[in-house]
Amino acid sequence: IPIGGMRMKIIINADDLGLTKESNYGILKAFERGYVTQTTLIVNSNGSGEGAAIAHNYGFQDKTGLHLNLSEGFPLTDDIKQYSKYVKNGEFCYIPEFMRKESYTKSPLYTYRDSVSSLAFKKEVFALRKELEAQIQRFIAFGFTCRHIDSHCNQLVDLPVWLAVRPLLLRYGFTSIRGIYHSFLSDDIYNHIYATWLQSELQSTGLKHLSYISSIPKYLKNKQRLSGESIIELYVHPVLFDDVLIDNFTGGISLDDNISQLSTYDPFTYFQL
């Protein structure tokens, strides 16, 4: 999409490095085919060590950020285990309300409006901070530099997670972060207020972030409304099954086909934050 005589710059992030063997080798294949500009690593799953090793062995360790994860895998700290909201049967299970089918796009401002000032909420944030810091420290122990950070199921956007991670972003020197979940830019008053507040929070950290983030299919559907954007981020979830590369986020659609559609309709320049 020419903007001011220049092509749009696109970041394509491969989420979920380290989640499974299939995602590890899917992301490696996506790098080899030139489909992605960067990836983010989950550090608390059975495939984390293998994913980290692949990034180092195949030379994309400097393009690897941290993918905070409270949805699956295992906790690295004990305090978070007392919250069944986050942990069941020793494994993470957390999906924010705004990501669930029955309450999709429900604003955290509405979800937490009656509890945000309570002692219990503050203890929850503290337990989250200990867990997220442990994930950051494991990321460093795997040999990576704290540059970019995002999260599984858009958890960074949820209020207790954001309050927990905010001081850690500066403490560990992150330089970029995935921006606001796009559905918060809806006309719902709670979403509008929350998005405005969260945007000011992101600005105050000084971390680089973008205003448009989505899957490739959603971007292709909405691209006519994005003429004012010079840089956007698209996320994919490559997995490799029987030498077939698919985008797990879009229900098994071939990643080759998704990238082909993107390249066919839009001249763009790859970019990395």
Side-chain angles (χ1 to χ4, degrees):
I1 299 175
I3 298 178
M6 299 183 67
R7 290 182 170 188
M8 175 180 283
K9 295 178 179 178
I10 292 184
I11 295 166
I12 302 186
N13 191 86
D15 286 19
D16 296 351
L17 181 66
L19 183 61
T20 63
K21 186 180 187 70
E22 291 79 11
S23 61
N24 288 339
Y25 283 95
I27 290 170
L28 173 58
K29 184 72 73 175
F31 268 108
E32 290 177 341
R33 294 183 182 176
Y35 290 167
V36 298
T37 59
Q38 59 191 48
T39 185
T40 41
L41 174 71
I42 288 174
V43 300
N44 61 333
S45 61
N46 290 331
S48 297
E50 179 186 61
I54 286 173
H56 287 291
N57 293 339
Y58 288 89
F60 55 89
Q61 69 274 9
D62 291 337
K63 298 178 181 178
T64 301
L66 173 59
H67 200 64
L68 293 175
N69 168 39
L70 302 167
S71 295
E72 45 196 311
F74 46 88
L76 302 182
T77 55
D78 289 331
D79 288 2
I80 197 68
K81 296 175 184 176
Q82 67 183 292
Y83 296 93
S84 59
K85 168 183 174 181
Y86 298 104
V87 180
K88 287 183 180 178
N89 299 319
E91 295 188 3
F92 277 124
C93 60
Y94 184 55
I95 306 295
E97 273 204 78
F98 59 79
M99 290 294 293
R100 298 178 199 163
K101 185 176 181 179
E102 68 274 13
S103 53
Y104 189 63
T105 76
K106 184 178 180 180
S107 172
L109 183 64
Y110 186 87
T111 302
Y112 298 105
R113 69 191 190 283
D114 295 328
S115 62
V116 68
S117 61
S118 69
L119 179 60
F121 183 83
K122 293 180 174 67
K123 288 182 176 179
E124 177 183 334
V125 169
F126 184 72
L128 280 167
R129 185 171 297 149
K130 289 177 70 173
E131 172 62 28
L132 298 177
E133 184 163 24
Q135 292 188 24
I136 292 171
Q137 291 174 347
R138 176 167 284 195
F139 180 69
I140 295 170
F142 276 138
F144 297 101
T145 301
C146 294
R147 295 187 180 94
H148 182 69
I149 189 169
D150 60 26
S151 61
H152 215 41
C153 298
N154 291 290
Q155 290 157 357
L156 274 174
V157 174
D158 205 17
L159 181 59
V161 180
W162 172 253
L163 294 175
V165 81
R166 192 188 187 287
L168 304 177
L169 300 174
L170 303 179
R171 184 180 306 167
Y172 286 93
F174 287 96
T175 58
S176 66
I177 187 170
R178 181 171 286 170
I180 295 174
Y181 179 45
H182 198 63
S183 293
F184 283 129
L185 305 181
S186 69
D187 293 332
D188 175 82
I189 186 62
Y190 285 107
N191 278 347
H192 177 73
I193 293 171
Y194 189 74
T196 301
W197 173 78
L198 188 56
Q199 184 64 34
S200 68
E201 283 282 290
L202 288 170
Q203 294 286 5
S204 70
T205 66
L207 273 67
K208 293 181 287 186
H209 58 280
L210 303 177
S211 60
Y212 185 84
I213 305 99
S214 80
S215 65
I216 292 176
K218 189 171 184 178
Y219 161 71
L220 291 173
K221 185 184 296 185
N222 297 322
K223 63 190 176 103
Q224 298 304 324
R225 295 185 291 163
L226 298 173
S227 59
E229 302 291 340
S230 58
I231 309 172
I232 65 170
E233 179 186 343
L234 305 179
Y235 47 75
V236 294
H237 298 69
V239 292
L240 192 65
F241 287 114
D242 298 325
D243 208 36
V244 176
L245 186 60
I246 65 173
D247 185 350
N248 203 37
F249 183 79
T250 54
I253 294 176
S254 164
L255 186 58
D256 303 284
D257 291 345
N258 268 344
I259 296 295
S260 177
Q261 287 187 64
L262 185 64
S263 302
T264 298
Y265 291 106
D266 301 324
F268 60 84
T269 300
Y270 277 132
F271 187 72
Q272 184 179 0
L273 278 177

Coordinates of all heavy atoms in Angstrom, one line a residue, residues 229-267:
E229 N -1.7 4.4 8.3 CA -0.6 3.6 9.0 C 0.6 3.4 8.1 O 0.5 3.0 7.0 CB -1.2 2.3 9.5 CG -2.4 2.3 10.3 CD -2.2 2.9 11.7 OE1 -1.0 2.9 12.1 OE2 -3.1 3.4 12.4
S230 N 1.8 3.8 8.7 CA 3.0 3.6 7.9 C 3.7 2.2 8.3 O 4.4 1.7 7.5 CB 4.0 4.7 8.1 OG 4.3 4.9 9.5
I231 N 3.4 1.8 9.5 CA 4.0 0.5 10.0 C 2.9 -0.2 10.7 O 2.2 0.3 11.6 CB 5.2 0.7 10.9 CG1 6.3 1.6 10.3 CG2 5.8 -0.6 11.3 CD1 7.4 2.0 11.3
I232 N 2.7 -1.5 10.4 CA 1.8 -2.4 11.2 C 2.4 -3.7 11.6 O 3.5 -4.0 11.0 CB 0.5 -2.7 10.3 CG1 0.9 -3.5 9.1 CG2 -0.2 -1.4 9.9 CD1 -0.3 -4.1 8.4
E233 N 1.8 -4.4 12.5 CA 2.3 -5.7 12.9 C 1.3 -6.7 12.6 O 0.1 -6.5 13.0 CB 2.7 -5.8 14.4 CG 3.2 -7.2 14.8 CD 3.4 -7.3 16.3 OE1 3.5 -6.3 17.0 OE2 3.5 -8.5 16.8
L234 N 1.6 -7.8 12.0 CA 0.8 -8.9 11.7 C 1.4 -10.1 12.5 O 2.6 -10.3 12.5 CB 0.7 -9.3 10.3 CG 0.2 -8.1 9.4 CD1 0.1 -8.5 7.9 CD2 -1.2 -7.6 9.8
Y235 N 0.5 -10.9 13.1 CA 1.0 -12.1 13.8 C 0.6 -13.4 13.1 O -0.5 -13.4 12.6 CB 0.6 -12.1 15.3 CG -0.8 -11.8 15.6 CD1 -1.8 -12.8 15.3 CD2 -1.2 -10.6 16.1 CE1 -3.1 -12.5 15.6 CE2 -2.6 -10.3 16.4 CZ -3.5 -11.3 16.1 OH -4.8 -11.0 16.3
V236 N 1.5 -14.3 13.1 CA 1.1 -15.7 12.6 C 1.6 -16.7 13.7 O 2.4 -16.4 14.5 CB 1.8 -15.9 11.3 CG1 1.3 -15.0 10.2 CG2 3.3 -15.8 11.4
H237 N 1.1 -17.9 13.5 CA 1.4 -19.0 14.5 C 1.8 -20.2 13.7 O 1.0 -21.2 13.5 CB 0.2 -19.3 15.4 CG -0.2 -18.1 16.2 ND1 -0.8 -17.0 15.7 CD2 -0.2 -17.9 17.6 CE1 -1.1 -16.1 16.7 NE2 -0.7 -16.7 17.9
P238 N 3.0 -20.2 13.1 CA 3.4 -21.3 12.2 C 3.6 -22.6 13.0 O 4.2 -22.7 14.1 CB 4.8 -20.8 11.7 CG 4.8 -19.4 12.0 CD 4.0 -19.2 13.2
V239 N 3.0 -23.7 12.4 CA 3.3 -25.0 12.9 C 3.5 -25.9 11.7 O 3.0 -25.7 10.6 CB 2.1 -25.6 13.8 CG1 2.0 -24.8 15.1 CG2 0.8 -25.5 13.0
L240 N 4.4 -26.9 11.9 CA 4.8 -27.8 10.8 C 4.2 -29.2 11.1 O 4.6 -29.8 12.1 CB 6.3 -27.8 10.6 CG 6.9 -28.5 9.4 CD1 6.5 -27.7 8.1 CD2 8.4 -28.6 9.5
F241 N 3.3 -29.7 10.2 CA 2.8 -31.0 10.4 C 3.1 -31.8 9.0 O 2.6 -31.3 8.0 CB 1.3 -31.0 10.6 CG 0.9 -30.6 12.0 CD1 0.2 -29.4 12.3 CD2 1.3 -31.4 13.1 CE1 -0.1 -29.0 13.5 CE2 0.9 -31.0 14.4 CZ 0.2 -29.8 14.6
D242 N 3.8 -32.9 9.1 CA 4.1 -33.7 7.9 C 4.6 -32.8 6.8 O 4.2 -32.9 5.6 CB 2.8 -34.4 7.5 CG 2.3 -35.4 8.5 OD1 3.2 -36.0 9.2 OD2 1.1 -35.5 8.7
D243 N 5.5 -31.9 7.1 CA 6.2 -31.0 6.2 C 5.2 -30.0 5.5 O 5.5 -29.4 4.5 CB 6.9 -31.8 5.1 CG 8.1 -31.0 4.5 OD1 8.7 -30.3 5.3 OD2 8.3 -31.1 3.3
V244 N 4.0 -29.8 6.1 CA 3.1 -28.8 5.7 C 3.0 -27.7 6.7 O 2.8 -27.9 7.9 CB 1.6 -29.4 5.5 CG1 0.6 -28.3 5.1 CG2 1.6 -30.5 4.5
L245 N 3.3 -26.5 6.2 CA 3.4 -25.3 7.1 C 2.0 -24.6 7.1 O 1.5 -24.1 6.1 CB 4.4 -24.3 6.6 CG 4.8 -23.1 7.4 CD1 5.3 -23.5 8.8 CD2 5.8 -22.2 6.7
I246 N 1.4 -24.6 8.3 CA 0.1 -23.9 8.5 C 0.2 -22.8 9.5 O 1.1 -22.8 10.3 CB -1.0 -24.9 8.9 CG1 -0.7 -25.5 10.3 CG2 -1.1 -26.0 7.8 CD1 -1.8 -26.4 10.8
D247 N -0.8 -21.9 9.4 CA -0.9 -20.9 10.4 C -2.0 -21.4 11.4 O -3.2 -21.4 11.1 CB -1.4 -19.6 9.8 CG -1.4 -18.4 10.8 OD1 -1.3 -18.6 12.0 OD2 -1.6 -17.3 10.3
N248 N -1.5 -21.8 12.6 CA -2.4 -22.4 13.6 C -3.5 -21.4 14.1 O -4.5 -21.8 14.6 CB -1.6 -22.9 14.8 CG -2.3 -24.0 15.6 OD1 -3.0 -24.8 15.0 ND2 -2.1 -24.0 16.9
F249 N -3.2 -20.1 14.0 CA -4.2 -19.1 14.5 C -5.5 -19.1 13.6 O -6.5 -18.8 14.1 CB -3.6 -17.7 14.5 CG -4.5 -16.7 15.1 CD1 -4.6 -16.5 16.5 CD2 -5.1 -15.8 14.2 CE1 -5.4 -15.6 17.0 CE2 -6.0 -14.8 14.8 CZ -6.1 -14.7 16.1
T250 N -5.3 -19.4 12.3 CA -6.4 -19.3 11.4 C -7.1 -20.6 11.1 O -7.6 -20.8 10.0 CB -6.0 -18.6 10.1 OG1 -4.9 -19.3 9.6 CG2 -5.6 -17.2 10.3
G251 N -7.0 -21.6 12.0 CA -7.6 -22.8 11.9 C -7.1 -23.8 10.9 O -7.8 -24.6 10.3
G252 N -5.8 -23.7 10.7 CA -5.1 -24.6 9.8 C -5.0 -24.2 8.3 O -4.6 -25.0 7.5
I253 N -5.2 -22.9 8.1 CA -4.9 -22.4 6.7 C -3.4 -22.4 6.4 O -2.6 -22.1 7.3 CB -5.5 -20.9 6.6 CG1 -7.0 -20.9 6.7 CG2 -5.1 -20.3 5.3 CD1 -7.6 -19.5 6.7
S254 N -3.1 -22.7 5.2 CA -1.7 -22.8 4.8 C -1.0 -21.4 5.0 O -1.6 -20.4 4.5 CB -1.6 -23.2 3.3 OG -0.3 -22.9 2.8
L255 N 0.1 -21.4 5.7 CA 0.8 -20.1 5.8 C 1.3 -19.6 4.5 O 1.4 -18.4 4.2 CB 2.0 -20.3 6.8 CG 2.7 -19.0 7.2 CD1 1.8 -18.0 7.8 CD2 3.8 -19.3 8.2
D256 N 1.7 -20.6 3.6 CA 2.1 -20.2 2.2 C 1.0 -19.4 1.6 O 1.2 -18.3 0.9 CB 2.4 -21.4 1.4 CG 3.5 -22.3 2.0 OD1 4.7 -21.9 1.9 OD2 3.2 -23.3 2.6
D257 N -0.3 -19.8 1.7 CA -1.4 -19.1 1.1 C -1.6 -17.8 1.7 O -1.9 -16.8 1.0 CB -2.7 -20.0 1.2 CG -2.6 -21.2 0.4 OD1 -1.7 -21.3 -0.5 OD2 -3.4 -22.1 0.6
N258 N -1.5 -17.7 3.1 CA -1.7 -16.4 3.7 C -0.7 -15.4 3.3 O -1.0 -14.2 3.0 CB -1.6 -16.6 5.2 CG -3.0 -16.8 5.9 OD1 -4.0 -16.6 5.3 ND2 -2.9 -17.3 7.1
I259 N 0.6 -15.8 3.2 CA 1.6 -14.9 2.8 C 1.5 -14.5 1.3 O 1.7 -13.4 0.9 CB 3.0 -15.5 3.1 CG1 3.3 -15.7 4.6 CG2 4.1 -14.6 2.5 CD1 3.3 -14.5 5.4
S260 N 1.0 -15.5 0.5 CA 0.8 -15.2 -0.9 C -0.2 -14.2 -1.1 O -0.1 -13.2 -1.9 CB 0.4 -16.5 -1.6 OG 0.1 -16.3 -3.0
Q261 N -1.3 -14.2 -0.3 CA -2.4 -13.2 -0.4 C -1.9 -11.9 0.0 O -2.2 -10.9 -0.7 CB -3.6 -13.6 0.5 CG -4.4 -14.8 0.0 CD -5.6 -14.9 0.9 OE1 -6.5 -14.0 0.9 NE2 -5.7 -16.0 1.6
L262 N -1.1 -11.8 1.0 CA -0.5 -10.6 1.5 C 0.4 -10.0 0.4 O 0.3 -8.8 0.1 CB 0.3 -10.8 2.8 CG 0.8 -9.6 3.5 CD1 -0.3 -8.7 4.0 CD2 1.7 -10.1 4.7
S263 N 1.2 -10.8 -0.2 CA 2.2 -10.3 -1.2 C 1.5 -9.9 -2.5 O 1.9 -8.9 -3.1 CB 3.2 -11.4 -1.5 OG 3.9 -11.7 -0.3
T264 N 0.4 -10.6 -2.8 CA -0.3 -10.3 -4.0 C -1.0 -9.0 -4.0 O -1.0 -8.2 -4.9 CB -1.4 -11.4 -4.3 OG1 -0.7 -12.6 -4.5 CG2 -2.2 -11.1 -5.6
Y265 N -1.7 -8.7 -2.9 CA -2.5 -7.5 -2.8 C -1.8 -6.2 -2.3 O -2.2 -5.1 -2.7 CB -3.7 -7.7 -1.8 CG -4.7 -8.7 -2.4 CD1 -4.8 -10.0 -1.9 CD2 -5.6 -8.3 -3.4 CE1 -5.7 -10.9 -2.4 CE2 -6.5 -9.2 -4.0 CZ -6.5 -10.5 -3.5 OH -7.4 -11.4 -4.0
D266 N -0.7 -6.4 -1.6 CA -0.1 -5.2 -1.0 C 1.4 -5.3 -1.2 O 2.1 -6.1 -0.7 CB -0.3 -5.2 0.5 CG -1.8 -5.1 0.8 OD1 -2.5 -4.5 0.1 OD2 -2.2 -5.8 1.8
P267 N 2.0 -4.3 -1.9 CA 3.4 -4.1 -2.0 C 3.9 -3.6 -0.6 O 3.3 -2.7 -0.1 CB 3.7 -3.1 -3.1 CG 2.4 -2.3 -3.1 CD 1.3 -3.3 -2.7

